[in-house]
Amino acid sequence: MISSDHMVKPQTDAVDVFWHEGMLQHDAVEGVFDTGVNPGFLDVLEKHPENADRVRNMVSILQRGPIAPYVNWLPGRPAILSELLTFHTSEYINKLVEADKSGERREISAGTFMSPGSWEAALLAAGTTLSAMQHILDSHGKIAYALVRPPGHHSQPTQADGYCFLNNAALAVKLALDSGRCSRVAVVDIDVHYGNGTAEGFYRSDKVLTVSLHMNHGSWGSSHPQKGSVDELGEDVGLGYNLNVPLPNGTGDKGYEYAVNELVVPAVRRFGPDMVVLVFGQDASAFDPNGRQCLTMNGYRRIGEIMRAMAEEHSNGRLLMVQEGGYHVTYAAYCLHAMLEGVLKIPEPHLPDPVAYYPEDEAVAVEAVKSIKRYHSEYVPFLRGT
């Protein structure tokens, strides 16, 4: 439960955080990284990277860290079936329900395990994100953060993928569009992995602009057939409204900022959304076990600043943030704190970076961004000539 010390209080500039401790009940597996395999010759098996500890630290740093006075806490809730069916097929939802009923631990897709308590956590993650979006739609706040797990952006309408069961952000986007209060939504995904599930769900829509900045990892099998390459642009009326920014491995603060300013900001400006959704993980950090990028706290802070400015320019300041990956148990929390400092326009860092400066040569990333920009200018209809 949320203590009385952290209940909603008026703020001139604050972030409304939606959270429910029931999401901690999802217990993936132990083994070799995310495989669940015990080879028999290791004395110490590691927790699955998407474990509850990472999110416990995110909660605690927002409750007891320097940013705590800027945080309002609001309760999450489970999603209901009709809400899930706005994005997912009934066949897929039935598959998850049956897996939960079995009471057994099952591998739903590679590295994605459902255990007793997982389905309840997934429903809470989806419903909590929907509550955060509804909070914004009802004008109760402009900046909301759905602090949720399990993550969602790999989950496609018909299948699980990459630790994700339900696509929390996509469900919130559908809610915004179906409410009649938004006609165009921009989704910017900075998780280190391609937001393939969200892209797939809106691949044939011109009402949603999906932009994903990710490491250049390609497809990883039948659950993730999408490559995240620049030529995956959408189809039919959605052609050009899915923009992929595969960044070279090792891209750091300067490279990410350059990519956001050169590719994301102009595209969102041309698109003209009336709602902005930031889908993010801290797995693009320099020390994450599940990524190969080099963002530090400064990079996340700068991205937060840019996204806040984007929301103020296009959506009257309305910004929904949805938690995805981030698997370094301590540094992910620090990077979250830094990003929210940027979103809140706190002028100076309130926490020192515990791992300090990471050297960066942004030249390769800059050339990659220039190449992607040329491609977009040629093949994306609404960006031609930029």
Side-chain angles (χ1 to χ4, degrees):
M1 296 295 291
I2 299 166
S3 71
S4 59
D5 292 339
H6 296 98
M7 295 304 288
V8 178
K9 50 193 176 299
Q11 292 282 353
T12 56
D13 202 1
V15 57
D16 297 327
V17 178
F18 285 76
W19 162 251
H20 193 293
E21 64 182 6
M23 289 180 281
L24 297 174
Q25 300 308 308
H26 171 49
D27 179 21
V29 72
E30 291 184 346
V32 176
F33 198 58
D34 65 1
T35 65
V37 172
N38 181 351
F41 47 73
L42 296 177
D43 283 345
V44 180
L45 297 176
E46 59 187 316
K47 292 182 178 180
H48 190 284
E50 204 295 282
N51 63 72
D53 291 346
R54 53 184 283 272
V55 173
R56 284 191 176 97
N57 274 345
M58 294 178 194
V59 172
S60 63
I61 202 169
L62 299 187
Q63 289 180 334
R64 303 196 304 274
I67 206 171
Y70 300 90
V71 175
N72 294 323
W73 292 90
L74 295 102
R77 59 149 178 106
I80 60 176
L81 178 61
S82 60
E83 292 172 325
L84 304 183
L85 296 179
T86 63
F87 183 80
H88 295 287
T89 65
S90 58
E91 292 80 9
Y92 172 56
I93 296 301
N94 288 338
K95 176 183 176 181
L96 294 178
V97 170
E98 290 304 312
D100 174 61
K101 285 181 179 178
S102 73
E104 302 173 353
R105 175 169 288 166
R106 291 188 181 183
E107 189 170 17
I108 304 298
S109 69
T112 307
F113 294 86
M114 178 174 279
S115 305
S118 298
W119 181 233
E120 290 80 1
L123 290 173
L124 282 168
T128 297
T129 308
L130 288 167
S131 289
M133 175 61 87
Q134 191 66 57
H135 181 77
I136 295 174
L137 292 172
D138 291 341
S139 300
H140 296 314
K142 288 189 176 182
I143 304 173
Y145 168 38
L147 177 46
V148 295
R149 75 176 288 263
H153 72 148
H154 296 310
S155 177
Q156 297 142 72
T158 61
Q159 63 177 346
D161 176 42
Y163 317 158
C164 303
F165 302 103
L166 302 172
N167 197 314
N168 309 311
L171 289 166
V173 171
K174 288 290 292 182
L175 173 63
L177 293 173
D178 294 344
S179 72
R181 303 179 203 177
C182 295
S183 59
R184 295 164 76 83
V185 180
V187 180
V188 179
D189 188 330
I190 64 164
D191 186 278
V192 80
H193 305 105
Y194 177 34
N196 61 309
T198 314
E200 179 70 22
F202 300 108
Y203 208 64
R204 295 162 186 82
S205 172
D206 60 356
K207 304 300 183 187
V208 181
L209 174 67
T210 51
V211 188
S212 178
L213 290 79
H214 46 267
M215 69 178 183
N216 199 358
H217 55 68
S219 170
W220 57 56
S222 59
S223 71
H224 191 109
Q226 304 85 0
K227 302 185 299 294
S229 53
V230 293
D231 59 345
E232 293 178 343
L233 291 171
E235 294 178 350
D236 302 329
V237 298
L239 179 64
Y241 294 98
N242 184 71
L243 302 179
N244 291 331
V245 183
L247 293 170
N249 290 359
T251 300
D253 296 347
K254 295 177 183 177
Y256 264 86
E257 182 175 355
Y258 185 78
V260 172
N261 281 327
E262 291 294 314
L263 299 174
V264 181
V265 171
V268 172
R269 185 170 291 135
R270 281 287 188 102
F271 179 68
D274 45 22
M275 180 67 75
V276 176
V277 177
L278 174 60
V279 179
F280 69 94
Q282 298 82 14
D283 44 6
S285 84
F287 305 97
D288 197 276
N290 220 345
R292 297 297 178 267
Q293 303 296 48
C294 292
L295 277 174
T296 70
M297 289 174 68
N298 281 334
Y300 279 101
R301 185 179 295 106
R302 183 68 185 120
I303 291 172
E305 292 171 352
I306 296 170
M307 292 303 302
R308 174 68 181 274
M310 185 183 299
E312 290 180 340
E313 178 179 352
H314 300 292
S315 57
N316 194 30
R318 300 191 298 180
L319 175 64
L320 172 66
M321 297 172 286
V322 184
Q323 180 65 45
E324 296 291 348
Y327 305 103
H328 192 291
V329 172
T330 54
Y331 198 55
Y334 275 80
C335 290
L336 168 63
H337 194 284
M339 198 192 76
L340 292 182
E341 286 180 350
V343 168
L344 292 169
K345 297 192 284 190
I346 296 173
E348 297 293 334
H350 281 25
L351 280 176
D353 194 320
V355 291
Y357 174 70
Y358 195 91
E360 175 186 2
D361 180 358
E362 71 272 22
V364 175
V366 167
E367 286 305 310
V369 169
K370 289 180 177 177
S371 176
I372 295 170
K373 189 171 184 177
R374 289 192 294 269
Y375 186 90
H376 287 171
S377 181
E378 183 174 356
Y379 294 105
V380 176
F382 83 98
L383 291 178
R384 282 185 180 138
T386 57

